C-alpha cells in the first residue's frame, strides 16, 4: 500500500479547456509518472477528471500531449531516466 501527498498550494481554478488547464494536467501526469503511480490509479483519476470536465479522452489528449512532451523532455535532460508513461 502506498500513500501520496499532493501539494495544493498553487492549485486554482482555470478556465475550461484553457492552456493553463492543459498544463496542470500535464504537470500532474509527469509527477505521477516520476512517482511511479500505478496505471490503474491514474486511470481512475483520468476517468473522474474527464467526467467532471465533460470531455472525451481524445479531446483531452490533443490538448495535453504537446505540454506533456515538453515536460517529459525537460525531466529526461535533468535526470536522465524515466519510469513509466501513463498517457
Amino acid at each position: 500500500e502506498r500513500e501520496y501527498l499532493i501539494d495544493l498550494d498553487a492549485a486554482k481554478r482555470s478556465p475550461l479547456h484553457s492552456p493553463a488547464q492543459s498544463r496542470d494536467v500535464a504537470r500532474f501526469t509527469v509527477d505521477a509518472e516520476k512517482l511511479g503511480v500505478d496505471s490503474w490509479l491514474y486511470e481512475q483519476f483520468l476517468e473522474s477528471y474527464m467526467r467532471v470536465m465533460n470531455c472525451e479522452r481524445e479531446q483531452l489528449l490533443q490538448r495535453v500531449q504537446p505540454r506533456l512532451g515538453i515536460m517529459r523532455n525537460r525531466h529526461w535532460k535533468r535526470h536522465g531516466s524515466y519510469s513509466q508513461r501513463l498517457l
Side-chain angles (χ1 to χ4, degrees):
E1 185 172 310
R2 291 183 180 180
E3 292 182 27
Y4 300 99
L5 297 175
I6 299 172
D7 181 4
L8 297 175
D9 284 342
K12 62 182 176 187
R13 207 174 272 267
S14 299
L16 189 61
H17 308 302
S18 70
Q21 190 179 43
S22 300
R23 182 196 61 232
D24 290 344
V25 173
R27 184 179 298 132
F28 183 86
T29 301
V30 170
D31 287 343
E33 291 172 343
K34 287 191 289 190
L35 287 170
V37 170
D38 291 323
S39 59
W40 66 268
L41 185 58
Y42 180 80
E43 283 298 321
Q44 286 181 330
F45 152 75
L46 201 60
E47 290 295 327
S48 175
Y49 181 85
M50 290 184 298
R51 187 172 44 255
V52 169
M53 300 311 295
N54 194 28
C55 71
E56 298 293 323
R57 188 180 187 93
E58 280 304 310
Q59 293 173 313
L60 181 64
L61 290 177
Q62 285 179 336
R63 292 193 312 267
V64 171
Q65 287 292 355
R67 293 245 184 214
L68 195 54
I70 291 167
M71 290 179 184
R72 283 177 175 154
N73 288 338
R74 191 177 308 142
H75 174 78
W76 180 261
K77 287 178 184 176
R78 288 183 184 161
H79 305 287
S81 65
Y82 213 82
S83 57
Q84 64 177 342
R85 289 190 176 204
L86 295 169
L87 274 182

